[in-house]
Amino acid sequence: MELSKPQKLFLIISCFFVANAILAEFIGVKIFSVEESLGFEKLNVNLFGVKGLSYNMSAGVLNWPFVFIMTDIINEYYGRRGVRFLSYLTAVLIVFAFLTVGLAMILTSSDFWIYREIDGQTLNMNHAFKAIFGQGMWIIIGSVTAFIIGQVADVTIFHRIKMVTGEKKLWLRATGSTVISQLIDSFVVIFIAFYLNPDYNWSWQMVAAIGLVGYTYKFVIALLMTPILYVSHKVIDNYLGEDLSKKMLKNAAK
């Protein structure tokens, strides 16, 4: 069966959306220093009584900006139902991925695989596998919950702004919805994963300080990604053609 252009476009965007979301979840276990990665000194600031704060971010931030861009594109061309359907589907697939990894961790390892020498060091591959893939249940729940809440907030804010501005000011509805939804996302995931989690029991000062520092990074990235959204919009319009593009934009706004 030959797919129409809108169907092909939705399929392509959906595949990249899901792939980036799942990749972000799994590589997110690595925490890196933004400043040192860029060759700068750590900020080392104090906030709400929490000392020595700097931009220590989850590696998942490499992929999430592309998820936000694709969210705005789906919002623009397929409307609320398109974003909600894909967001709920992605959340289910993320949970499925973690369940699969959980099953993989309880498998009995082959003797020859357990100990391996890498860069002159003998590593226990079982421990390494569990350390990388075995994210705690609270972190998984926090991440998935924050993702769903953030996506629902994004689509709602996006269309509220569009109702006021019409087809103009793509940057305002796209960037505006992203920075607000990411503000919610940033605090929800930390609140569930580290405040409610009895293994960490962070104070609200820790949640506020670390959440705010992380959010400032996401805010800057959202602004920097705006030109990419315009380029993507142009490429899609050329692919669909002027008439079909306008029809989809009109239907998505309903």
Side-chain angles (χ1 to χ4, degrees), residues 104-198:
M105 286 192 295
I106 66 176
L107 297 175
T108 302
S109 302
S110 298
D111 294 337
F112 73 89
W113 181 80
I114 296 178
Y115 293 101
R116 292 184 59 186
E117 188 171 312
I118 300 176
D119 294 332
Q121 297 184 30
T122 300
L123 299 181
N124 185 310
M125 297 301 291
N126 263 331
H127 293 168
F129 189 89
K130 290 181 180 179
I132 296 299
F133 292 108
Q135 299 187 44
M137 185 58 65
W138 283 96
I139 294 176
I140 295 171
I141 293 173
S143 181
V144 173
T145 303
F147 171 73
I148 294 175
I149 293 175
Q151 289 296 105
V152 171
D154 190 295
V155 68
T156 302
I157 296 166
F158 184 97
H159 285 280
R160 290 282 177 86
I161 297 175
K162 193 171 184 177
M163 288 174 61
V164 176
T165 62
E167 295 299 329
K168 299 178 180 179
K169 298 182 179 180
L170 171 62
W171 65 270
L172 180 60
R173 59 181 177 271
T175 306
S177 61
T178 297
V179 297
I180 296 174
S181 64
Q182 281 309 293
L183 177 63
I184 298 170
D185 177 278
S186 297
F187 288 97
V188 169
V189 65
I190 295 175
F191 179 77
I192 295 175
F194 299 105
Y195 185 81
L196 296 182
N197 187 348

Side-chain angles (χ1 to χ4, degrees), residues 49-71:
V50 181
K51 298 180 180 180
L53 292 171
S54 61
Y55 285 102
N56 294 311
M57 303 295 296
S58 160
V61 298
L62 296 175
N63 296 89
W64 284 122
F66 296 103
V67 174
F68 305 147
I69 286 289
M70 286 179 279
T71 297

